Amino acid sequence: MQTAQVFSFHGGIHPEENKTQSLQLPLGKPSLPKELILPLSQHIGQASVPLVAIGDQVLKGAPIAANNGLLSSHLHAPTSGTITAIESRPIAHPSGLSDLCIVLQPDGKETWTELKPLPNWQQLDATEVISHLADMGIVGMGGAGFPTQVKLQGAHKKPLSHFIINAAECEPYITSDDTLIREKTRELVLGIELFQHLVQAEQVTIGIEDNKPTAIAALNKTLTECNSKIQLVVVPTKYPSGGERQLIQLLTGQEVPSGQYPADIGILCQNVGTCVAGYEAVYLGKPLISRITTLTGKALNAPQNVDVLLGTPVAHLLAYADLQEKQLNRLIIGGPMMGYTLDSAAVPIVKTTNCILAANKKELPAPAPEQACIRCGMCEQACPASLLPQQLLWFSKSQELEKAEHYNLFDCIECGACSYVCPSSIPLVQYYRHTKSSIRDAREAAVKSDLAKQRFEARKARQDAEAAEKEAKRLARQQASASKAVQTKKTAPATKTTEKSALNASNSEAAPQINDTTKKLKVDVAIGKSKLKKLQKQLVEAQEDERLEDISALQLHVSEQEKALVELETELAKAVKANPTKKPSDTPDNSVEKAKAPANDALKKAKIDAAIAKAAVKKVEKALKKAEELQAPEVDAIRQQLADAKKRADELEKVLDNPSPSTPPTEQKPAVSAAQLDLASQVKKEKIAVALAKAKINKLNKRLASSPEDAETVSKDIEAAQQQLVQAESLLATLIESQHNSQETS
Amino acid sequence: MALLRITSPHTQRAGRRTSWVMQMVIYATLPGIIVQTWLFGWGTVINLAIAGVAALLSEAAILAMRRRPIRFFLQDYSALLTAVLLGIALPPTVPWWVTVTAVSFAIVFAKQIYGGLGNNPFNPAMVGYAIVLVSFPVPMSQWLGVSSVVASGEMLSFSQSLQAIFHQLPVIDSYTMATPLDGFKHKELLDSQSAFETLPALQAASIDSWLWVNLAYLMGGLALLWLRIITWHTPAALLGALLVMSGLFYVFDTSNAASPFFHLTTGAAMFGAFFIATDPVSSCTSNRGKLIYGAGIGILIYIIRTWGGYPDGVAFGVLLMNFAAPLIDYYTQPRTYGHKKAKTGLKIGGDH
Amino acid sequence: MFTVLLAIGILVVLSLIFGGILGYAKVRFHVEGDPIVDQIDALLPQTQCGQCGHPGCRPYAEAISNGEAINHCPPGGQATIQALADLLDVEAIPLDGDHGTETAQRVAVIREDECIGCTKCIQACPVDAILGAAKQMHTVIADECTGCDLCVEPCPVDCIDMVDVGITAKNWSWDKPQGVAAQSLNIIATDRSTEVSQ
Ligand code: SF4
Ligand code: SF4
Ligand code: SF4
Ligand code: SF4
């Protein structure tokens, strides 16, 4: 093992490490909680789709949610038990919002499902092993939870020069990777060799900070024992050396180009936890269902690392580590530099939770109030990305988004080094996060408004074309009718043939046309399909490249294209159906359908009328509500009347609805329904009259309220109007009655 | 349980607040103040007191007018720092109203009008200094001499200093003399050799006194560097440029130019390099920018000293470079991680 | 006399030369800008809601280029007015309340079991974001919906709702910190944090 050269990166800070607290006790194993909460989004990309339903029994390690698209992951049951709910629960997210989770109630038996290891992975094709890893739900356990299979596939784009294993763990307080290396040294080395077999890098390097002597010694020992080619490089302790890009710079001296990914320069970076998970998936067939998490902070009496099942609520772990409720002031997931605070301890542990920091007030005091930036440049000296944080702050404050972007805001890794050193205690990172999302939102809005514009213009063009076509048809018809007048005279004898043949003739005449349209549609569909394929390909590429921003845009396009395709296909289907010459056997069916059709039509119409009546009642109700707000006493009467009207509308609906299913498709039906329709329309009219009368009363009441002087005349008017209303209503009643009767007779 | 919800990071470097930074800068001027008092009498201390009170009062008044919390902003010590820098820069016997004018002008017009701390494009202390230098040239050019070389042969006592500042001290002229820079500027037709031999201001005692003052400020400046409150870029570039300029002209024209050592150790060379030019708010941001900015000031100091109308050029040099600072900033952005080239200029986008 | 004539002559020659240079520069460095209507159109939100009194954003863009006020577009709100003011170099004025008020981004949702398939909403939708056929249930393609409100009115059975596009964990973002000035008015130490109780 030769010693490798260690490079350095700009800036960086040395916050207090606070790592010893959680290393006093051995690795803990908390008991099973009452329920496990498994969010469907534990990774970057689309949420998984549940494979289970409420009430299902699942075994430990059985898949409960599958990946949804390429950039997604599978999810497995951490223990055996019953699915009790699939619902929104608070998740570990800086916003404190909720998201869809599968809730599992353990049965305490811990019955494993059948495990399927891949003992012969060395003989298998790399893609097979990678897809096995995907099936086991392995995601990057260091930070964002990037699905490992996507990362490994992306690494095939270019010959790999370096495969780097990130064991730096530069954040204060966190010791979960340290513990993992100590506890599972052998597994880690085997996992690294497994990944190396898949990616075939020229050089495999473990990067570890020099503040973990025990882990370094353990690794050194195992590496010599295994006679491994893996290089162990100890880097000086400096935050944020564990950042992917910083570690790459430390170990290789290369910089990942802005906006690109390590794979683009032939480097792959994996966290130690991911390597161990990969080992367990392939050697033991175990899916990713547990992880090592650090519980630390002064509010805990027994800080330690625990091997915990995914989905365990934070509260359960805090209790395990003996939390002093009164001390707890800030609850952080992750470390003090990049972690986020929690509102509630009910959120569950997910695949990426490496630390829970329960801090008391003294340990992490509330930040001092923000002062003005004095441009002291301390932030600039600390920034590992060589940015000018003070300038970015200036542009963020004034929302000069373009300038912020020009000053490379998107190269900020949100490490917090600048905020840490800022003497004015400006929450710089929050400014940057806000500005970044403003820029992203603006971009998205631009894409959306472009799309809307395109669709609007396309629609306008289509409408214009339709109008032009209509006009042309009208002209053609004019001409045709003129010439037909002449023709009919000539062909008079021929018309004696049966109607059917005439129909057929016209059909066959129409046929070529229809065929033409079908053809065109088919071509369109084909074109659409090929477009869709192309887009999907692009999407796949984008997902492999981990280009997050492109992905969403492409997905938009794909779904759009899919929609268009579906539309085209339905149109095509319609066109094919509409072409009766193809299937002569259609004719008898058709006639039956034809007979049915009017009945159905009538039924539908009746339904529609009922619906409209309902809507009308609703509208009156709305008006009533307003009236109520304005004035109380008179409203009561109106409300009473309205209730009546509503009842009647309901009746009408029933009346209109009931007979339809019961009536056989006889020829009588249309006539009856026609009569009913007539009645219905009268009913409607009367209802309108009622509504009008009510409105009038309302208005008058208002006037009464506003001008008490002419109260008398107004109240007289009201009375008159009310009379009118009563009349109209009685008319309505009789009408409805007659409707009843007509129904009964039918 | 009420939990605190804030953005990361959740911890901060302890103790290093803005007020701490300002206080440290003030403390770093102490060696210089002590040396000045020792050499030129109590005037400097009295000036400092006047300036401090004037600064706090005018800051408080304008904060009240702007409806900003007074206590909060006074506690950042920035007004006091401006006052200290001005109090040091003004001649020890300058009448009190000159000090008050300079300080209040600096606070009100150079700082608060632009939005307060962090928003001023020009160094407030130097704006105040330049204003009184232009408006009241006579009192501004009266600098005390060290006791051994002035006519009275003694130093102003405390009460005499008070008298000089608040009432005119009639015999003040016997205590004052031209500073070395002044003397050298007005050597008229003498070449430097004879100027150094004949002019009283250029005698060893006078020059040595200024050497001491500059050494004291150098010490304070090094302390600031050690505390990492300032970076080496600006002072090094400033002194380097001054050295190179004076060296060049000294080599080419030994008979008329002063030596680099003379330039670096008289006047406000060290004070300007470590305390004035490093004012973070109005200087350049990036390290490369600071180098250019400092060098610019160094060159301007030499030009003004040699060919300008004033004996010393720190104030005007700094102010002129303040004008250029934003432009320098645009062209000296550091190369960000992952970029092949640093971005320059104002053009938006397009570097990949 | 001669000197006067000479001076005039020199000036004339000089002005000819510089005029020539300027003229050449204009031709040589001419920038083909977008027509102003396109530029205005690009700033409008493309909601196509017609609240400005024009059938779509582009007609309003044309109207603006013909001198109509720039504050008639509620969906764009103050941000759009500001952008238009910057583009046209006029003063930004507050939104004209007669045309409606700025609302949160919304999207139409059809209560599908109540839809009677009358296709009226399809005809009203300016961006073809509604899918359906006569007498079939209709639905809104949420991604395409601009939230313009135009389909709500024509629906005879009132089954279209405008719902706010809520904040989810995916589109949530940090607020802008309150800054020095705002904070200094009520100077408290917990400024950049919010106390939340469980
Ligand atoms: S550290 Fe803070 S005060 Fe200093 S320049 Fe950066 S943002 Fe401004
Ligand atoms: S948070 Fe961004 S700007 Fe601040 S130090 Fe880290 S990378 Fe630089
Ligand atoms: S009001 Fe509606 S139609 Fe008019 S410009 Fe704005 S978004 Fe477009
Ligand atoms: S207008 Fe209403 S009822 Fe008609 S199709 Fe649209 S949603 Fe359905």
Side-chain angles (χ1 to χ4, degrees):
Chain A
M1 233 184 58
Q2 73 276 43
T3 45
Q5 191 189 351
V6 180
F7 300 82
S8 76
F9 63 89
H10 178 264
I13 53 173
H14 299 273
E16 237 178 284
E17 285 174 23
N18 280 314
K19 290 201 185 234
T20 44
Q21 294 97 309
S22 51
L23 290 172
Q24 305 302 323
L25 292 171
L27 182 66
K29 186 111 187 64
S31 60
L32 271 178
K34 274 209 276 318
E35 59 177 19
L36 293 168
I37 306 157
L38 299 142
L40 289 173
S41 277
Q42 306 201 0
H43 47 262
I44 272 192
Q46 299 95 315
S48 317
V49 271
L51 294 173
V52 288
I54 297 173
D56 281 4
Q57 297 286 331
V58 290
L59 293 178
K60 185 168 183 161
I64 53 173
N67 64 357
N68 174 19
L70 271 171
L71 194 64
S72 183
S73 184
H74 292 270
L75 192 58
H76 302 80
T79 182
S80 56
T82 321
I83 306 293
T84 52
I86 299 177
E87 62 187 19
S88 230
R89 289 287 185 97
I91 55 161
H93 191 269
S95 63
L97 287 169
S98 300
D99 202 6
L100 210 56
C101 300
I102 297 178
V103 184
L104 173 67
Q105 190 174 31
D107 57 12
K109 295 197 196 99
E110 302 250 26
T111 333
W112 274 95
T113 175
E114 192 197 333
L115 297 181
K116 295 192 205 78
L118 283 185
N120 56 342
W121 56 271
Q122 259 142 333
Q123 278 93 57
L124 290 178
D125 199 34
T127 32
E128 253 172 89
V129 184
I130 289 175
S131 81
H132 177 76
L133 289 176
D135 287 342
M136 295 292 113
I138 313 289
V139 303
M141 290 165 74
F146 204 91
T148 302
Q149 75 274 16
V150 183
K151 211 168 183 181
L152 290 178
Q153 264 158 5
H156 284 294
K157 249 190 334 197
K158 251 190 158 187
L160 275 196
S161 59
H162 291 88
F163 172 32
I164 291 174
I165 293 90
N166 188 346
E169 201 169 48
C170 57
E171 272 246 16
Y173 286 98
I174 307 180
T175 53
S176 60
D177 284 352
D178 191 358
T179 313
L180 182 80
I181 299 170
R182 295 186 198 184
E183 297 278 328
K184 302 191 176 172
T185 326
R186 215 187 150 66
E187 288 89 331
L188 172 63
V189 172
L190 289 175
I192 295 170
E193 265 157 9
L194 163 74
F195 280 176
Q196 159 68 358
H197 171 75
L198 298 179
V199 297
Q200 300 292 347
E202 279 165 33
Q203 206 176 359
V204 190
T205 320
I206 304 177
I208 188 164
E209 271 191 351
D210 58 10
N211 59 358
K212 303 178 195 45
T214 324
I216 294 171
L219 262 177
N220 261 334
K221 191 162 150 256
T222 318
L223 286 179
T224 1
E225 270 170 19
C226 297
N227 217 349
S228 171
K229 284 212 193 76
I230 302 169
Q231 237 186 356
L232 183 67
V233 180
V234 181
V235 300
T237 300
K238 174 163 98 170
Y239 179 85
S241 62
E244 193 176 65
R245 283 157 194 256
Q246 276 61 45
L247 189 64
I248 288 173
Q249 195 175 12
L250 275 174
L251 297 185
T252 70
Q254 283 171 280
E255 289 182 13
V256 184
S258 164
Q260 294 188 21
Y261 291 87
D264 294 320
I265 52 168
I267 294 176
L268 173 74
C269 216
Q270 287 287 2
N271 174 267
V272 280
T274 320
C275 295
V276 173
Y279 159 84
E280 288 186 342
V282 170
Y283 280 80
L284 312 175
K286 277 190 192 168
L288 178 54
I289 55 166
S290 69
R291 67 157 299 141
I292 292 183
T293 298
T294 307
L295 309 176
T296 184
K298 290 227 170 88
L300 299 180
N301 278 344
Q304 59 184 298
N305 279 283
V306 285
D307 190 355
V308 56
L309 293 181
L310 301 182
T312 309
V314 168
H316 184 76
L317 295 179
L318 291 182
Y320 177 76
D322 198 3
L323 171 78
Q324 295 160 279
E325 286 263 359
K326 275 199 201 109
Q327 288 272 307
L328 185 60
N329 175 248
R330 213 184 299 187
L331 189 56
I332 296 168
I333 287 252
M337 294 304 298
M338 291 184 78
Y340 48 86
T341 47
L342 293 180
D343 296 354
S344 124
V347 306
I349 298 287
V350 294
K351 291 177 183 175
T352 54
T353 314
N354 51 5
C355 177
I356 295 166
L357 174 54
N360 68 9
K361 233 185 185 131
K362 241 170 119 200
E363 192 173 20
L364 298 182
E370 176 181 338
Q371 284 172 289
C373 166
I374 52 168
R375 298 165 63 87
C376 62
M378 291 183 188
C379 47
E380 177 198 338
Q381 309 300 332
C383 176
S386 307
L387 294 165
L388 289 175
Q390 69 273 56
Q391 293 299 88
L392 292 175
L393 167 72
W394 188 270
F395 298 135
S396 298
K397 274 192 163 177
S398 54
Q399 287 290 294
E400 290 172 89
L401 303 183
E402 278 180 345
K403 281 205 190 143
E405 231 177 308
H406 179 67
Y407 273 74
N408 303 324
L409 175 61
F410 279 98
D411 288 306
C412 165
I413 55 171
E414 299 181 13
C415 66
C418 50
S419 301
Y420 178 78
V421 298
C422 177
S424 287
S425 68
I426 303 171
L428 292 162
V429 179
Q430 188 174 347
Y431 276 107
Y432 303 153
R433 285 182 174 146
H434 173 78
T435 310
K436 278 186 186 175
S437 57
S438 301
I439 294 175
R440 280 200 203 100
D441 287 353
R443 275 192 203 150
E444 235 162 69
V447 168
K448 224 187 148 185
S449 85
D450 262 4
L451 218 67
K453 195 162 129 190
Q454 272 173 25
R455 292 176 76 92
F456 178 69
E457 271 157 14
R459 176 172 181 269
K460 232 171 81 187
R462 196 192 63 221
Q463 278 176 334
D464 289 351
E466 269 169 13
E469 204 180 337
K470 246 187 210 163
E471 183 61 21
K473 260 192 199 155
R474 198 181 56 81
L475 283 178
R477 222 181 296 128
Q478 259 180 3
Q479 273 182 0
S481 65
S483 59
K484 230 181 215 168
V486 185
Q487 259 190 2
T488 32
K489 265 182 206 165
K490 274 189 200 163
T491 51
T495 42
K496 275 182 186 171
T497 41
T498 53
E499 274 186 3
K500 230 185 189 177
S501 68
L503 197 81
N504 272 339
S506 68
N507 268 349
S508 56
E509 236 171 63
Q513 256 187 19
I514 293 174
N515 271 341
D516 265 6
T517 49
T518 0
K519 247 187 215 164
K520 223 172 127 204
L521 278 171
K522 271 185 191 165
V523 172
D524 278 356
V525 169
I527 293 173
K529 268 188 190 159
S530 71
K531 251 195 205 163
L532 181 63
K533 254 189 209 156
K534 251 192 223 157
L535 278 171
Q536 272 168 342
K537 223 174 156 190
Q538 273 179 13
L539 181 61
V540 171
E541 273 170 18
Q543 276 169 335
E544 277 172 4
D545 289 4
E546 316 175 3
R547 275 180 281 147
L548 279 183
E549 269 155 35
D550 288 4
I551 290 175
S552 50
L554 277 174
Q555 255 161 4
L556 220 70
H557 280 309
V558 169
S559 57
E560 198 184 304
Q561 191 59 34
E562 273 170 355
K563 269 174 226 155
L565 196 58
V566 170
E567 270 170 48
L568 275 176
E569 269 174 351
T570 50
E571 232 173 282
L572 180 63
K574 258 192 240 159
V576 172
K577 230 194 232 162
N579 191 345
T581 46
K582 270 193 184 163
K583 291 183 201 163
S585 59
D586 267 2
T587 18
D589 285 351
N590 269 355
S591 66
V592 174
E593 261 171 34
K594 263 180 212 159
K596 267 186 198 163
N600 278 342
D601 273 1
L603 182 74
K604 264 193 193 155
K605 258 187 208 154
K607 270 191 190 162
I608 291 170
D609 276 352
I612 291 173
K614 256 204 279 181
V617 169
K618 256 190 218 158
K619 273 180 193 163
V620 174
E621 269 177 348
K622 261 191 213 161
L624 175 67
K625 246 190 208 157
K626 264 192 201 152
E628 271 178 341
E629 276 162 24
L630 286 168
Q631 219 178 0
E634 261 74 21
V635 169
D636 274 344
I638 300 176
R639 199 186 293 141
Q640 179 61 40
Q641 286 149 7
L642 176 73
D644 292 349
K646 204 155 93 193
K647 216 193 272 162
R648 271 170 230 135
D650 282 349
E651 274 163 24
L652 171 68
E653 195 195 357
K654 249 184 243 153
V655 161
L656 287 171
D657 249 2
N658 282 341
S660 344
S662 60
T663 27
T666 51
E667 295 222 341
Q668 264 182 346
K669 168 79 207 297
V672 173
S673 55
Q676 279 180 349
L677 276 180
D678 209 32
L679 268 178
S681 72
Q682 269 190 29
V683 171
K684 228 199 250 170
K685 263 188 209 152
E686 269 323 304
K687 270 196 189 155
I688 291 170
V690 172
L692 276 178
K694 277 181 200 160
K696 214 168 164 190
I697 295 173
N698 261 345
K699 256 192 214 157
L700 288 170
N701 275 336
K702 253 190 229 166
R703 232 172 74 197
L704 186 62
S706 60
S707 54
E709 307 93 52
D710 13 292
E712 255 180 59
T713 51
V714 173
S715 56
K716 243 182 227 160
D717 280 354
I718 291 183
E719 250 166 57
Q722 270 170 342
Q723 250 167 22
Q724 263 180 13
L725 180 65
V726 173
Q727 271 171 13
E729 274 182 340
S730 65
L731 198 62
L732 187 63
T734 50
L735 272 174
I736 287 173
E737 219 166 275
S738 66
Q739 214 172 14
H740 271 276
N741 292 342
S742 76
Q743 229 115 58
E744 266 151 38
T745 52
S746 72
Chain B
M1 170 168 62
L3 291 172
L4 198 57
R5 176 149 133 222
I6 65 169
T7 194
S8 64
H10 302 278
T11 142
Q12 279 190 309
R13 186 157 64 182
R16 295 193 146 221
R17 299 272 73 85
T18 294
S19 50
W20 177 85
V21 171
M22 301 284 171
Q23 280 169 310
M24 283 305 130
V25 180
I26 294 175
Y27 292 147
T29 59
L30 278 181
I33 293 173
I34 292 169
V35 172
Q36 266 182 331
T37 312
W38 169 53
L39 290 171
F40 307 122
W42 292 100
T44 309
V45 177
I46 301 170
N47 268 350
L48 283 173
I50 298 172
V53 172
L56 291 180
L57 284 182
S58 51
E59 174 111 332
I62 202 140
L63 284 172
M65 257 194 287
R66 292 179 63 208
R67 293 172 205 235
R68 295 293 189 280
I70 296 167
R71 245 177 89 84
F72 176 69
F73 280 111
L74 286 189
Q75 273 171 351
D76 66 23
Y77 286 87
S78 63
L80 211 57
L81 176 59
T82 305
V84 168
L85 297 181
L86 260 174
I88 290 169
L90 295 175
T93 53
V94 79
W96 63 273
W97 43 268
V98 172
T99 312
V100 171
T101 314
V103 169
S104 48
F105 195 89
I107 298 289
V108 176
F109 288 98
K111 184 175 158 199
Q112 290 291 348
I113 286 273
Y114 289 102
L117 178 62
N119 297 310
N120 45 301
F122 303 106
N123 187 326
M126 287 305 104
V127 172
Y129 183 82
I131 282 293
V132 289
L133 183 61
V134 175
S135 312
F136 316 110
V138 176
M140 286 299 287
S141 60
Q142 283 180 334
W143 198 283
L144 292 173
V146 273
S147 47
S148 57
V149 288
V150 292
S152 63
E154 56 183 74
M155 219 164 72
L156 275 184
S157 69
F158 186 74
S159 60
Q160 277 173 317
S161 301
L162 270 183
Q163 211 188 344
I165 287 169
F166 288 99
H167 316 283
Q168 290 289 320
L169 187 69
V171 291
I172 189 78
D173 281 348
S174 60
Y175 292 93
T176 61
M177 65 175 290
T179 60
L181 280 173
D182 237 345
F184 191 76
K185 173 135 230 141
H186 297 116
K187 69 186 166 62
E188 310 297 345
L189 294 173
L190 297 172
D191 61 13
S192 13
Q193 184 76 37
S194 44
F196 277 100
E197 276 162 12
T198 53
L199 291 181
L202 296 180
Q203 295 314 303
S206 167
I207 291 187
D208 282 351
S209 67
W210 283 94
L211 173 65
W212 281 116
V213 171
N214 273 291
L215 281 180
Y217 285 117
L218 173 65
M219 219 175 87
L222 291 179
L224 288 184
L225 267 181
W226 179 73
L227 283 171
R228 299 204 189 187
I229 286 173
I230 58 172
T231 60
W232 56 268
H233 304 83
T234 313
L238 192 156
L239 297 175
L242 191 54
L243 181 80
V244 170
M245 281 294 278
S246 51
L248 269 182
F249 282 92
Y250 189 63
V251 168
F252 284 119
D253 189 4
T254 325
S255 56
N256 276 315
S259 71
F261 183 77
F262 175 77
H263 274 287
L264 287 181
T265 55
T266 50
M270 292 297 166
F271 179 63
F274 286 96
F275 292 89
I276 301 294
T278 52
D279 165 47
V281 178
S282 54
S283 74
C284 286
T285 37
S286 66
N287 293 343
R288 270 197 305 151
K290 284 179 196 156
L291 286 177
I292 298 177
Y293 175 80
I297 297 175
I299 294 170
L300 281 171
I301 290 178
Y302 187 79
I303 291 175
I304 296 172
R305 279 182 181 180
T306 316
W307 299 289
Y310 292 95
D312 205 350
V314 173
F316 290 108
V318 166
L319 288 178
L320 282 173
M321 286 315 282
N322 283 168
F323 274 111
L327 195 70
I328 297 174
D329 276 345
Y330 279 126
Y331 288 94
T332 54
Q333 298 172 38
R335 184 186 65 86
T336 307
Y337 179 100
H339 289 260
K340 288 217 176 62
K341 274 201 334 247
K343 286 187 181 177
T344 54
L346 300 156
K347 220 180 105 226
I348 302 293
D351 70 314
H352 299 299
Chain C
M1 192 62 213
F2 174 71
T3 29
V4 174
L5 282 181
L6 184 69
I8 291 175
I10 288 175
L11 281 179
V12 168
V13 171
L14 273 181
S15 59
L16 281 180
I17 292 171
F18 283 116
I21 291 174
L22 282 178
Y24 173 74
K26 167 144 173 62
V27 178
R28 175 73 179 72
F29 301 110
H30 182 64
V31 186
E32 203 65 67
D34 275 354
I36 189 72
V37 173
D38 281 344
Q39 289 181 42
I40 298 173
D41 195 28
L43 294 180
L44 291 173
Q46 306 298 334
T47 305
Q48 316 291 2
C49 63
Q51 288 183 77
C52 52
H54 296 278
C57 298
R58 191 163 178 97
Y60 180 44
E62 278 157 15
I64 290 179
S65 75
N66 290 329
E68 189 168 321
I70 57 171
N71 62 345
H72 291 174
C73 172
Q78 210 56 45
T80 298
I81 295 176
Q82 189 59 54
L84 287 172
D86 288 346
L87 173 68
L88 302 172
D89 211 7
V90 295
E91 203 181 323
I93 37 181
L95 185 66
D96 184 351
D98 293 349
H99 292 269
T101 47
E102 204 176 337
T103 50
Q105 175 67 39
R106 294 186 305 173
V107 49
V109 176
I110 294 177
R111 290 198 297 279
E112 286 162 359
D113 42 349
E114 287 171 44
C115 168
I116 56 172
C118 70
T119 74
K120 288 213 169 94
C121 51
I122 293 196
Q123 289 156 33
C125 178
V127 291
D128 283 340
I130 301 182
L131 207 61
K135 294 175 190 155
Q136 308 290 326
M137 177 267 272
H138 282 51
T139 193
V140 175
I141 310 168
D143 281 346
E144 310 290 356
C145 174
T146 61
C148 69
D149 248 5
L150 290 180
C151 51
V152 175
E153 203 38 46
C155 178
V157 292
D158 240 3
C159 69
I160 307 184
D161 297 317
M162 299 303 297
V163 292
D164 283 348
V165 182
I167 291 176
T168 64
K170 288 246 188 270
N171 63 15
W172 175 88
S173 67
W174 282 99
D175 290 337
K176 192 176 171 186
Q178 293 174 359
V180 194
Q183 168 198 45
S184 52
L185 288 178
N186 51 343
I187 197 86
I188 39 168
T190 53
D191 178 71
R192 66 169 164 172
S193 60
T194 41
E195 287 275 342
V196 276
S197 48
Q198 197 186 355

